């Protein structure tokens, strides 16, 4: 085995940042994630930059792969002018392997991985009948080679990852990219996990609403149609119970990966990262999807453990999901390409700096923009020029005293100077990222 650290990157689909026991959730059971937190560094305020399409996962993962902002990284088609993370690791001498759901273009996939198994080129579907490919070194993947997996998605993908680890006998370090479809709907957790959580025992979120307080421009997108209107406590509790079942099931599969690394004697030389492509409302604010800019949808888990990573550290400063690329380059002494816009988080975990950015910005289609300095958060809501839906309004939240984003303070006179400051910061981000909405006023009136 190589003296250079291996890398195992595990990414979920729809996993909200705080739906982990170690994050303080008293209900969900996540022993593997908790153990990673205990032996590593957890970034509690990791954000995505949003999406310009309803399928938030696609641009979010493009940002992970490129380390670039939403308006630059691409979506289904990765921006060809940008370096791609697993390809960079491959060219640096890492043996790259993939298993699970791939959201972006196949050419990028083929350039990034030496090998793969149980590849799901697609969006969503039956968790027990996932259409997958075996690795095709030609990169063609003809339809006739696709077949239906014979296990629940998380088990199917993890089996492939475990097999790769068990068979690995090269001196080169490996880079394993394990991409779950869980806990994305259909939320049909397997076996014991289907009944692990009783709906009546699930606490309702503090920001449970029967309906969103105004038309946000996406009131009837697919995710929002997963539950009837208006929302009821019972429906929300059932959805959260199923959501937690999916998370606990995935946590078990992640534990299998960790145990395999340990059995192979390479856990101590492997950097393990866990995150998600975005969060999910699941009943908060009267919403069920991720097509919004509330904290439950734009914050994700971000846990690093392994060599070079500080143990038992929690960081509450603002970070981005696309910081993972430069952070791993830093931890593995791989040259970080000039096209990467993200920032290495190693100085944060080591306590060498207090913060790596003053604010974070996010966008959704042409109807939402937000900026936050960590405490104060401004959301600018627009009427869509494309659909005519939405509401022209501002929301201002004090995240320190109102983490559930319940009390909109934007109409209070004492906060007008603060709104001006945040609006200026929002405009700075829009200009910096070349947001196509940068010429639309942030302030109303």
């Amino acid at each position: 085995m190589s003296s250079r650290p291996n890398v195992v990157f595990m990414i979920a689909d729809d996993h909200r940042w705080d739906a982990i026991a170690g994050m303080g959730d008293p209900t969900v059971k996540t022993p593997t994630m908790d153990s990673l937190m205990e032996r590593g560094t957890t970034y509690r305020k990791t954000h995505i930059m949003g999406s310009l399409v309803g399928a938030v996962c696609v641009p979010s993962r493009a940002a992970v792969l490129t380390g670039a902002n939403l308006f630059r990284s691409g979506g289904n088609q990765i921006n060809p002018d940008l370096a791609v993370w697993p390809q960079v690791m491959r060219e640096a001498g890492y043996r790259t392997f993939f298993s699970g759901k791939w959201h972006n273009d196949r050419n990028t996939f083929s350039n990034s991985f030496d090998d793969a198994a149980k590849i799901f080129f697609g969006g969503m579907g039956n968790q027990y009948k996932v259409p997958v490919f075996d690795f095709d070194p030609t990169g063609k993947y003809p339809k006739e080679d696709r077949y239906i997996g014979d296990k629940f998605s998380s088990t199917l993908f993890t089996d492939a990852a475990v097999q790769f680890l068990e068979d690995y006998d090269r001196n080169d370090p490996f880079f394993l990219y394990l991409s779950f479809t869980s806990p994305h709907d259909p939320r049909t957790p397997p076996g014991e996990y289907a009944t692990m959580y009783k709906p009546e025992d699930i606490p309702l979120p503090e920001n449970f609403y029967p309906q969103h307080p105004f038309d946000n421009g996406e009131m009837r997108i697919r995710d929002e149609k997963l539950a009837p209107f208006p929302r009821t406590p019972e429906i929300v509790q059932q959805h959260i119970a199923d959501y937690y079942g999916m998370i606990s099931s995935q946590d078990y599969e992640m534990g299998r990966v960790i145990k395999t690394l340990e059995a192979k004697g390479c856990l101590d030389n492997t950097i393990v990262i866990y995150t998600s492509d975005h969060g999910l409302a699941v009943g908060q604010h009267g919403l069920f999807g991720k097509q919004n800019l509330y904290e439950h949808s734009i914050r994700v888990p971000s846990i690093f453990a392994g060599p070079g990573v500080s143990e038992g550290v929690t960081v509450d400063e603002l970070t981005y999901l696309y910081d993972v690329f430069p952070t791993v380059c830093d931890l593995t002494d791989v040259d970080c390409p000039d096209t990467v816009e993200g920032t290495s988080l190693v100085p944060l975990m080591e306590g060498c700096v207090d913060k790596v950015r003053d604010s974070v910005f996010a966008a959704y289609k042409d109807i939402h923009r937000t900026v936050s300095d960590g405490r104060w958060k401004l959301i600018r809501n627009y009427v869509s020029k494309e659909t005519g839906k939405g509401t022209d309004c501002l929301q201002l939240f004090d995240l320190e005293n109102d983490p559930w984003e319940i009390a909109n303070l934007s109409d209070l006179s004492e906060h007008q100077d603060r709104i001006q400051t945040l609006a200026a910061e929002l405009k700075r981000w829009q200009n910096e990222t070349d947001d196509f909405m940068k010429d639309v006023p942030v302030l109303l009136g």
Side-chain angles (χ1 to χ4, degrees):
M1 289 288 181
S2 170
S3 59
R4 288 197 290 169
N6 307 300
V7 178
V8 171
F9 177 68
M10 295 182 281
I11 184 167
D13 195 329
D14 278 10
H15 192 179
R16 193 179 66 242
W17 75 275
D18 59 347
I20 298 175
M23 290 289 193
D25 190 316
T27 307
V28 69
K29 299 177 177 63
T30 52
T32 302
M33 298 177 203
D34 298 346
S35 68
L36 283 177
M37 291 179 65
E38 290 170 2
R39 67 183 192 86
T41 295
T42 302
Y43 298 93
R44 291 175 56 90
K45 292 184 179 179
T46 296
H47 295 70
I48 66 168
M49 199 177 272
S51 177
L52 305 181
V53 295
V56 182
C57 55
V58 178
S60 186
R61 297 194 184 216
V64 170
L65 291 168
T66 62
N69 77 69
L70 169 67
F71 299 93
R72 225 179 131 234
S73 54
N76 182 57
Q77 186 70 41
I78 299 292
N79 183 343
D81 295 331
L82 303 180
V84 175
W85 180 29
Q87 185 176 355
V88 167
M89 301 301 288
R90 184 183 189 184
E91 292 170 353
Y94 276 76
R95 182 74 175 176
T96 56
F97 179 88
F98 179 89
S99 175
K101 178 177 176 180
W102 181 256
H103 293 62
N104 308 100
D105 65 275
R106 297 189 185 187
N107 186 56
T108 298
F109 180 86
S110 296
N111 291 336
S112 295
F113 298 102
D114 294 299
D115 197 3
K118 299 299 184 287
I119 312 159
F120 174 34
F121 291 121
M124 51 175 289
N126 190 324
Q127 299 277 10
Y128 295 87
K129 295 181 179 180
V130 183
V132 294
F133 287 93
D134 293 326
F135 183 67
D136 182 351
T138 71
K140 294 180 178 178
Y141 296 97
K143 287 184 179 180
E144 57 267 25
D145 288 351
R146 188 174 61 184
Y147 61 96
I148 301 300
D150 59 355
K151 297 178 181 177
F152 182 74
S153 64
S154 298
T155 305
L156 184 74
F157 302 148
T158 302
D159 279 355
V162 166
Q163 191 66 57
F164 166 78
L165 293 173
E166 289 178 341
D167 294 343
Y168 199 77
D169 60 359
R170 304 171 65 97
N171 290 324
D172 303 326
F174 58 79
F175 176 93
L176 168 61
Y177 192 123
L178 175 54
S179 175
F180 296 104
T181 60
S182 174
H184 195 289
D185 68 275
R187 288 185 281 271
T188 51
E192 65 185 280
Y193 299 100
T195 56
M196 175 175 283
Y197 300 97
K198 296 180 180 179
E200 61 270 23
D201 294 338
I202 299 291
L204 279 175
E206 290 186 29
N207 54 3
F208 164 76
Y209 304 154
Q211 62 184 26
H212 193 262
F214 58 87
D215 176 9
N216 74 349
E218 288 284 38
M219 301 305 293
R220 292 298 185 270
I221 199 167
R222 189 204 69 87
D223 290 46
E224 299 304 333
K225 296 178 182 178
L226 294 175
F229 302 92
R231 317 307 195 183
T232 66
E234 294 76 18
I235 287 291
V236 169
Q237 288 173 306
Q238 180 64 66
H239 274 264
I240 296 175
D242 294 336
Y243 183 59
Y244 283 178
M246 294 286 283
I247 291 170
S248 291
S249 166
Q250 179 193 300
D251 184 88
Y252 170 79
E253 299 299 338
M254 291 169 59
R256 292 176 56 212
V257 174
I258 303 300
K259 289 177 182 177
T260 304
L261 290 169
E262 195 168 23
K264 287 283 289 187
C266 58
L267 179 60
D268 290 342
N269 194 41
T270 300
I271 299 164
V272 179
I273 304 142
Y274 177 66
T275 189
S276 178
D277 51 14
H278 47 73
L280 199 67
V282 206
Q284 297 190 43
H285 292 106
L287 304 172
F288 268 75
K290 57 269 186 179
Q291 294 84 5
N292 61 82
L293 300 183
Y294 292 115
E295 297 290 284
H296 50 62
S297 295
I298 62 171
R299 282 173 64 183
V300 295
S302 182
I303 308 169
F304 291 71
V309 179
S310 301
E311 294 187 15
V313 171
T314 298
V315 177
D316 283 318
E317 301 306 319
L318 298 171
T319 62
Y320 268 123
L321 179 56
Y322 64 75
D323 291 332
V324 67
F325 182 172
T327 301
V328 171
C329 285
D330 199 351
L331 290 169
T332 57
D333 289 326
V334 170
D335 290 338
C336 188
D338 293 338
T339 58
V340 171
E341 297 176 348
T343 301
S344 171
L345 303 180
V346 172
L348 266 182
M349 73 172 66
E350 293 180 345
C352 299
V353 297
D354 293 331
K355 56 185 176 180
V356 295
R357 54 179 55 87
D358 294 323
S359 65
V360 287
F361 157 75
Y364 181 70
K365 290 189 175 180
D366 66 344
I367 51 177
H368 305 302
R369 296 295 183 271
T370 188
V371 68
S372 172
D373 63 10
R375 175 176 179 179
W376 297 99
K377 176 178 178 179
L378 181 71
I379 301 178
R380 173 60 160 98
N381 302 283
Y382 305 87
V383 174
S384 169
K385 286 188 176 181
E386 181 179 347
T387 67
K389 299 178 181 179
T391 304
D392 271 319
C393 68
L394 293 175
Q395 292 171 286
L396 176 69
F397 297 109
D398 178 353
L399 297 178
E400 182 176 304
N401 295 302
D402 178 26
W404 294 94
E405 296 169 287
I406 295 171
N408 179 10
L409 307 175
S410 64
D411 289 336
L412 299 182
S413 59
E414 61 262 38
H415 294 301
Q416 297 314 300
D417 287 346
R418 180 169 288 112
I419 289 174
Q420 293 277 352
T421 300
L422 289 169
E425 181 68 357
L426 176 56
K427 188 59 63 178
R428 183 192 69 79
W429 271 105
Q430 290 184 293
N431 290 328
E432 184 176 305
T433 59
D434 199 22
D435 177 4
F436 66 90
M437 293 281 284
K438 64 184 179 182
D439 294 328
V440 180
V442 175
L443 299 177
L444 302 173

